[in-house]
Amino acid sequence: MDDESPGEIVAAATADEEVREILRRLDSQPASIAPKYFYDRLGSALFAAICETPEYYPTRTEAVILPVAAAAIRDRLGRGLTLVDLGAGDCRKSDGIMPVLDCARYVAIDISIAFVRDAVAAIEPRHPQVVMTALGRDLSRDWTLDEEEAPGQRLLFYPGSSIGNFTPELAVAFLRRARANAGADGKLLIGVDLVKDRAILEAAYDDRLGVTAAFNRNVLNHLNRIVGTDFDPMRWRHVALFNEALSRIEMHLEACTEHWVAWPGGRRHFDGGERIHTENSYKYTPAGFAEKLERAGWRVSDRWFDENRWFAMFLADAA
Ligand code: AVI
C-alpha cells in the first residue's frame, strides 16, 4: 500500500491544513479517509456498540486474558507500579485491572485532555490508594513523558489491538517511541489481534446487525460537518475484506451508483463500485509481532492467549 493507506494516522494539524489533507486524500486515486475521522461523538458510541456485537470478538477475548496477565505481572513485579495508559479513552480497561495490579500511580493519556480528565475523575473514587494524573498527548506524533509526570517503574499499557490500525512500519515507530518513554526498568503490556480464519475475521468487521456498516458510513457524516462535503451515506455500501497477502482487514465504502460529491471549491465523480479506503486492521502471528517488538528495542518476557489463540497480550521489557 502506498502512503495514502488509511492505516497511517494523519498527524494533528491546523484546521486549514487538516481540511486540505482530507480533501487531497478524497481527490486521490484511490480515495481514502484517515480512520481517526471515525471517532466523532456518534462514531465513538458506534465503536462501543461494535464491541458488544457477537461477531466482534477482540474486546471480549482480551477481557478474559487481561486479569490473568495483570495478576502475573503483580506477582512478578510487586505492587507499586506506575500504570501508564496509552490512549486511555474512558479508562474502562485500567479501571478493571487496577485492583488486581495494585499499582501506586495511574497516568491516563489521551488525545483529548478534557475527555480523559473527566474519565479519570469518574474512576478515581473507586481507587483511593492510587495517585492519578490525566495527560493530553497525540500518540501518533512524537511524544515524551517526563519523570515528574510518571515517576516510578512504568508499565505502559496499550490494549485493544489499536496497534493493528498502524501500518507495520508505523507500528514499529510507535513501539520505539514507547520504548524511549518507558524508563530503564519499564515494561509494556500490549494487546494484539492474531491471524485466524477469514470467515471469523470478516464477520467481526461486518456484523449482521449492521453496526460496523453504520460506523463506517458515519465517517461521511463527520466529513460533511468538518469539510463541507455533501456525501449521502446511504449511497455507499460497507465493504470489509481480509487481504491475506498483507494480513489485514480492509474497510472500504463502495459507491452503490455513479455520482458526484461536492465540497466548497471542488467536486469529484465516483463511478458505481468505486471505493474509498477507510481503515486497515493488521492481524499478526505471535512470532511476527514478537519480531516487531524486538525490532523496536523491547525484549518479550511473557505472552498470554485465549483458548482459541485468537488474541494475545505481550509483556515486554525495556531492559
Ligand atoms: C480501534 N481498532 C482496534 C478497531 C479494530 O478492530 O481495528 C477499530 C474497528 N474498526 C471496525 N471495527 C473495529
Side-chain angles (χ1 to χ4, degrees), residues 254-268:
E254 186 177 286
C256 299
T257 52
E258 66 90 21
H259 64 285
W260 288 88
V261 172
W263 54 84
R267 63 177 194 154
R268 169 185 180 155

PDB file of all heavy atoms in Angstrom, residues 254-268:
ATOM      1  N   GLU A 254     -18.129   1.657  -0.714  1.00  0.00           N
ATOM      2  CA  GLU A 254     -18.235   1.442  -2.166  1.00  0.00           C
ATOM      3  C   GLU A 254     -19.474   2.165  -2.686  1.00  0.00           C
ATOM      4  O   GLU A 254     -20.584   1.957  -2.159  1.00  0.00           O
ATOM      5  CB  GLU A 254     -18.345  -0.063  -2.430  1.00  0.00           C
ATOM      6  CG  GLU A 254     -18.317  -0.414  -3.888  1.00  0.00           C
ATOM      7  CD  GLU A 254     -18.359  -1.920  -4.086  1.00  0.00           C
ATOM      8  OE1 GLU A 254     -17.343  -2.590  -3.841  1.00  0.00           O
ATOM      9  OE2 GLU A 254     -19.427  -2.424  -4.467  1.00  0.00           O
ATOM     10  N   ALA A 255     -19.280   2.991  -3.697  1.00  0.00           N
ATOM     11  CA  ALA A 255     -20.412   3.759  -4.264  1.00  0.00           C
ATOM     12  C   ALA A 255     -21.426   2.787  -4.879  1.00  0.00           C
ATOM     13  O   ALA A 255     -21.060   1.959  -5.712  1.00  0.00           O
ATOM     14  CB  ALA A 255     -19.904   4.736  -5.312  1.00  0.00           C
ATOM     15  N   CYS A 256     -22.699   2.898  -4.462  1.00  0.00           N
ATOM     16  CA  CYS A 256     -23.733   1.987  -4.997  1.00  0.00           C
ATOM     17  C   CYS A 256     -23.996   2.308  -6.472  1.00  0.00           C
ATOM     18  O   CYS A 256     -24.210   1.404  -7.274  1.00  0.00           O
ATOM     19  CB  CYS A 256     -25.039   2.140  -4.209  1.00  0.00           C
ATOM     20  SG  CYS A 256     -24.860   1.736  -2.470  1.00  0.00           S
ATOM     21  N   THR A 257     -23.989   3.600  -6.809  1.00  0.00           N
ATOM     22  CA  THR A 257     -24.195   4.024  -8.203  1.00  0.00           C
ATOM     23  C   THR A 257     -23.247   5.192  -8.470  1.00  0.00           C
ATOM     24  O   THR A 257     -22.749   5.814  -7.520  1.00  0.00           O
ATOM     25  CB  THR A 257     -25.631   4.562  -8.421  1.00  0.00           C
ATOM     26  OG1 THR A 257     -25.872   5.557  -7.420  1.00  0.00           O
ATOM     27  CG2 THR A 257     -26.680   3.469  -8.313  1.00  0.00           C
ATOM     28  N   GLU A 258     -23.036   5.514  -9.757  1.00  0.00           N
ATOM     29  CA  GLU A 258     -22.125   6.637 -10.038  1.00  0.00           C
ATOM     30  C   GLU A 258     -22.768   7.950  -9.583  1.00  0.00           C
ATOM     31  O   GLU A 258     -23.976   8.116  -9.700  1.00  0.00           O
ATOM     32  CB  GLU A 258     -21.746   6.655 -11.527  1.00  0.00           C
ATOM     33  CG  GLU A 258     -22.874   6.938 -12.500  1.00  0.00           C
ATOM     34  CD  GLU A 258     -23.028   8.421 -12.792  1.00  0.00           C
ATOM     35  OE1 GLU A 258     -22.061   9.180 -12.590  1.00  0.00           O
ATOM     36  OE2 GLU A 258     -24.145   8.809 -13.208  1.00  0.00           O
ATOM     37  N   HIS A 259     -21.968   8.826  -9.021  1.00  0.00           N
ATOM     38  CA  HIS A 259     -22.472  10.161  -8.645  1.00  0.00           C
ATOM     39  C   HIS A 259     -21.309  11.114  -8.347  1.00  0.00           C
ATOM     40  O   HIS A 259     -20.159  10.689  -8.254  1.00  0.00           O
ATOM     41  CB  HIS A 259     -23.446  10.087  -7.466  1.00  0.00           C
ATOM     42  CG  HIS A 259     -22.875   9.600  -6.160  1.00  0.00           C
ATOM     43  ND1 HIS A 259     -22.573   8.293  -5.891  1.00  0.00           N
ATOM     44  CD2 HIS A 259     -22.565  10.263  -5.016  1.00  0.00           C
ATOM     45  CE1 HIS A 259     -22.112   8.150  -4.658  1.00  0.00           C
ATOM     46  NE2 HIS A 259     -22.094   9.340  -4.108  1.00  0.00           N
ATOM     47  N   TRP A 260     -21.676  12.387  -8.193  1.00  0.00           N
ATOM     48  CA  TRP A 260     -20.686  13.413  -7.850  1.00  0.00           C
ATOM     49  C   TRP A 260     -20.764  13.698  -6.361  1.00  0.00           C
ATOM     50  O   TRP A 260     -21.834  13.659  -5.764  1.00  0.00           O
ATOM     51  CB  TRP A 260     -20.973  14.725  -8.593  1.00  0.00           C
ATOM     52  CG  TRP A 260     -20.680  14.660 -10.061  1.00  0.00           C
ATOM     53  CD1 TRP A 260     -21.539  14.254 -11.029  1.00  0.00           C
ATOM     54  CD2 TRP A 260     -19.460  15.013 -10.705  1.00  0.00           C
ATOM     55  NE1 TRP A 260     -20.934  14.325 -12.269  1.00  0.00           N
ATOM     56  CE2 TRP A 260     -19.639  14.797 -12.104  1.00  0.00           C
ATOM     57  CE3 TRP A 260     -18.218  15.495 -10.277  1.00  0.00           C
ATOM     58  CZ2 TRP A 260     -18.647  15.035 -13.033  1.00  0.00           C
ATOM     59  CZ3 TRP A 260     -17.220  15.734 -11.216  1.00  0.00           C
ATOM     60  CH2 TRP A 260     -17.439  15.503 -12.583  1.00  0.00           C
ATOM     61  N   VAL A 261     -19.620  14.021  -5.775  1.00  0.00           N
ATOM     62  CA  VAL A 261     -19.583  14.532  -4.395  1.00  0.00           C
ATOM     63  C   VAL A 261     -18.919  15.900  -4.466  1.00  0.00           C
ATOM     64  O   VAL A 261     -17.844  16.043  -5.066  1.00  0.00           O
ATOM     65  CB  VAL A 261     -18.788  13.577  -3.464  1.00  0.00           C
ATOM     66  CG1 VAL A 261     -18.596  14.205  -2.079  1.00  0.00           C
ATOM     67  CG2 VAL A 261     -19.510  12.234  -3.350  1.00  0.00           C
ATOM     68  N   ALA A 262     -19.573  16.895  -3.881  1.00  0.00           N
ATOM     69  CA  ALA A 262     -19.053  18.270  -3.962  1.00  0.00           C
ATOM     70  C   ALA A 262     -18.635  18.774  -2.587  1.00  0.00           C
ATOM     71  O   ALA A 262     -19.101  18.275  -1.556  1.00  0.00           O
ATOM     72  CB  ALA A 262     -20.134  19.180  -4.551  1.00  0.00           C
ATOM     73  N   TRP A 263     -17.747  19.756  -2.595  1.00  0.00           N
ATOM     74  CA  TRP A 263     -17.323  20.463  -1.378  1.00  0.00           C
ATOM     75  C   TRP A 263     -17.001  21.880  -1.771  1.00  0.00           C
ATOM     76  O   TRP A 263     -16.875  22.176  -2.976  1.00  0.00           O
ATOM     77  CB  TRP A 263     -16.123  19.757  -0.723  1.00  0.00           C
ATOM     78  CG  TRP A 263     -14.954  19.537  -1.639  1.00  0.00           C
ATOM     79  CD1 TRP A 263     -13.968  20.420  -1.936  1.00  0.00           C
ATOM     80  CD2 TRP A 263     -14.661  18.326  -2.382  1.00  0.00           C
ATOM     81  NE1 TRP A 263     -13.073  19.855  -2.828  1.00  0.00           N
ATOM     82  CE2 TRP A 263     -13.469  18.576  -3.104  1.00  0.00           C
ATOM     83  CE3 TRP A 263     -15.282  17.088  -2.500  1.00  0.00           C
ATOM     84  CZ2 TRP A 263     -12.892  17.624  -3.946  1.00  0.00           C
ATOM     85  CZ3 TRP A 263     -14.698  16.134  -3.331  1.00  0.00           C
ATOM     86  CH2 TRP A 263     -13.513  16.404  -4.044  1.00  0.00           C
ATOM     87  N   PRO A 264     -16.862  22.788  -0.792  1.00  0.00           N
ATOM     88  CA  PRO A 264     -16.600  24.183  -1.164  1.00  0.00           C
ATOM     89  C   PRO A 264     -15.327  24.271  -2.015  1.00  0.00           C
ATOM     90  O   PRO A 264     -14.263  23.870  -1.568  1.00  0.00           O
ATOM     91  CB  PRO A 264     -16.404  24.889   0.192  1.00  0.00           C
ATOM     92  CG  PRO A 264     -17.131  24.008   1.167  1.00  0.00           C
ATOM     93  CD  PRO A 264     -16.989  22.606   0.666  1.00  0.00           C
ATOM     94  N   GLY A 265     -15.480  24.698  -3.244  1.00  0.00           N
ATOM     95  CA  GLY A 265     -14.317  24.879  -4.126  1.00  0.00           C
ATOM     96  C   GLY A 265     -13.956  23.648  -4.940  1.00  0.00           C
ATOM     97  O   GLY A 265     -12.952  23.671  -5.661  1.00  0.00           O
ATOM     98  N   GLY A 266     -14.719  22.575  -4.876  1.00  0.00           N
ATOM     99  CA  GLY A 266     -14.331  21.405  -5.678  1.00  0.00           C
ATOM    100  C   GLY A 266     -15.397  20.324  -5.697  1.00  0.00           C
ATOM    101  O   GLY A 266     -16.408  20.410  -4.993  1.00  0.00           O
ATOM    102  N   ARG A 267     -15.196  19.316  -6.530  1.00  0.00           N
ATOM    103  CA  ARG A 267     -16.092  18.169  -6.568  1.00  0.00           C
ATOM    104  C   ARG A 267     -15.358  17.005  -7.220  1.00  0.00           C
ATOM    105  O   ARG A 267     -14.313  17.188  -7.854  1.00  0.00           O
ATOM    106  CB  ARG A 267     -17.386  18.487  -7.317  1.00  0.00           C
ATOM    107  CG  ARG A 267     -17.190  18.822  -8.762  1.00  0.00           C
ATOM    108  CD  ARG A 267     -18.521  19.038  -9.436  1.00  0.00           C
ATOM    109  NE  ARG A 267     -18.341  19.032 -10.889  1.00  0.00           N
ATOM    110  CZ  ARG A 267     -19.267  18.719 -11.771  1.00  0.00           C
ATOM    111  NH1 ARG A 267     -20.489  18.416 -11.371  1.00  0.00           N
ATOM    112  NH2 ARG A 267     -19.023  18.728 -13.063  1.00  0.00           N
ATOM    113  N   ARG A 268     -15.922  15.823  -7.046  1.00  0.00           N
ATOM    114  CA  ARG A 268     -15.288  14.642  -7.628  1.00  0.00           C
ATOM    115  C   ARG A 268     -16.368  13.659  -8.058  1.00  0.00           C
ATOM    116  O   ARG A 268     -17.380  13.485  -7.372  1.00  0.00           O
ATOM    117  CB  ARG A 268     -14.385  13.985  -6.585  1.00  0.00           C
ATOM    118  CG  ARG A 268     -13.922  12.631  -7.068  1.00  0.00           C
ATOM    119  CD  ARG A 268     -13.127  11.841  -6.115  1.00  0.00           C
ATOM    120  NE  ARG A 268     -12.810  10.591  -6.817  1.00  0.00           N
ATOM    121  CZ  ARG A 268     -11.786   9.834  -6.556  1.00  0.00           C
ATOM    122  NH1 ARG A 268     -10.952  10.179  -5.599  1.00  0.00           N
ATOM    123  NH2 ARG A 268     -11.585   8.720  -7.223  1.00  0.00           N
TER     124      ARG A 268
END
